[in-house]
Amino acid sequence: MQCSNTTPHHRKKQIVKLLVLGSTGATGRLLTALAVGRGHDVRTLVRDGSRADLVPGTEVVEGDARSREDVTAALAGVDATASTLGMGLKTRPNGLLIDAVDALIAGAAITGSDRLIMLSSWGVGDTLRRSSLLVRLTYMPGKKVHDEKAEAEAALRTSGLNWTLVYPVALTNGEATGRVRARDLDDVARMPGSPSISRADVAASMITIIEDDLWSRRTVVLDQQPRRRTDGDGPGDSPSPSR
């Protein structure tokens, strides 16, 4: 992951006790598996602990991400929380994200576990107006869900937690490319075209943020690092990736 406008740092992986919310979703499952594979001590909060698709090697805690009591219990002894909770393709909000953030804020006050990396999406809040016309039209059916996300994030920003919001562009189910560009939301005036990024790249980027403790109390936008053309590139050539 290439970070723009950040101070260069030496990578030093920190093994953490990590709580994952949304671990049964498409991106959450990838993040959970990657965290386990990288040696982290992973706990997941799920409604049904008997599900066959749970990632092996995790501590499974049954509970509701909307419940203050359940979330507080899950936060005990945790160094950081990664939330990939979302509404999928639903276009009507149901209060999930607002309730989950409320539960996390309450649980952090009790347990002291205040590091939270939360997956959101491009198009939330005022980022929609920075998008191309095509993207704005595409996102319009889900505007109410995005409005709920914006409300939940506003509460998070004023909570005192050590939060990071992750805004990827449109998600795909492709393989990880490693060509991820990470930029502060304040530095992205426009997002031209209709860019996309794989869930695998987003999951890997979130793990890096956790390990290196990056982007504290900031909103990071993730998209693909543009390819750099070389003199040998022609119409049918594959440009070399930017390093």
Side-chain angles (χ1 to χ4, degrees):
M1 178 172 64
Q2 179 169 331
C3 302
S4 301
N5 299 325
T6 58
T7 302
H9 61 281
H10 297 289
R11 292 287 304 277
K12 182 180 180 181
K13 185 174 74 169
Q14 300 181 23
I15 303 302
V16 299
K17 176 73 174 183
L18 177 66
L19 172 65
V20 181
L21 305 183
S23 63
T24 58
T27 306
R29 190 176 293 112
L30 291 169
L31 183 147
T32 302
L34 184 58
V36 171
R38 290 177 68 91
H40 297 297
D41 187 1
V42 182
R43 176 184 296 165
T44 59
L45 178 65
V46 298
R47 284 177 292 182
D48 181 5
S50 66
R51 289 180 56 147
D53 60 348
L54 298 179
V55 175
T58 66
E59 176 192 354
V60 178
V61 176
E62 287 193 340
D64 186 348
R66 305 173 74 151
S67 164
R68 287 187 173 192
E69 180 179 332
D70 290 350
V71 170
T72 299
L75 282 171
V78 164
D79 299 313
T81 299
S83 172
T84 59
L85 292 171
M87 297 290 294
L89 297 176
K90 295 178 181 178
T91 58
R92 293 185 178 181
N94 62 6
L96 168 64
L97 300 175
I98 292 174
D99 291 345
V101 167
D102 174 77
L104 285 164
I105 293 171
I110 294 172
T111 63
S113 178
D114 67 347
R115 182 68 173 119
L116 171 62
I117 298 87
M118 191 165 86
L119 181 64
S120 182
S121 65
W122 184 262
V124 172
D126 74 344
T127 63
L128 188 60
R129 66 175 176 79
R130 311 185 202 186
S131 306
S132 66
L133 176 60
L134 175 61
V135 169
R136 293 201 302 271
L137 292 174
T138 302
Y139 283 174
M140 283 308 295
K143 185 178 184 304
K144 291 183 178 179
V145 171
H146 280 179
D147 289 345
E148 180 179 288
K149 284 186 177 181
E151 183 178 346
E153 292 170 15
L156 182 61
R157 287 188 174 98
T158 59
S159 66
L161 268 62
N162 183 9
W163 53 268
T164 299
L165 288 169
V166 179
Y167 274 38
V169 293
L171 296 172
T172 73
N173 294 318
E175 299 293 326
T177 68
R179 292 193 304 108
V180 179
R181 176 171 59 176
R183 293 178 288 170
D184 192 292
L185 177 59
D186 291 339
D187 297 329
V188 185
R190 295 286 296 171
M191 184 69 74
S194 183
S196 62
I197 188 172
S198 72
R199 297 178 188 275
D201 275 331
V202 171
S205 296
M206 291 180 69
I207 294 295
T208 298
I209 290 170
I210 293 164
E211 290 175 347
D212 291 356
D213 199 20
L214 300 171
W215 303 100
S216 176
R217 294 186 175 88
R218 295 167 71 187
T219 300
V220 55
V221 177
L222 301 181
D223 63 350
Q224 278 204 337
Q225 183 70 21
R227 291 183 181 274
R228 181 179 303 156
R229 290 185 63 87
T230 64
D231 292 340
D233 290 337
D237 298 328
S238 297
S240 300
S242 174
R243 298 298 181 188

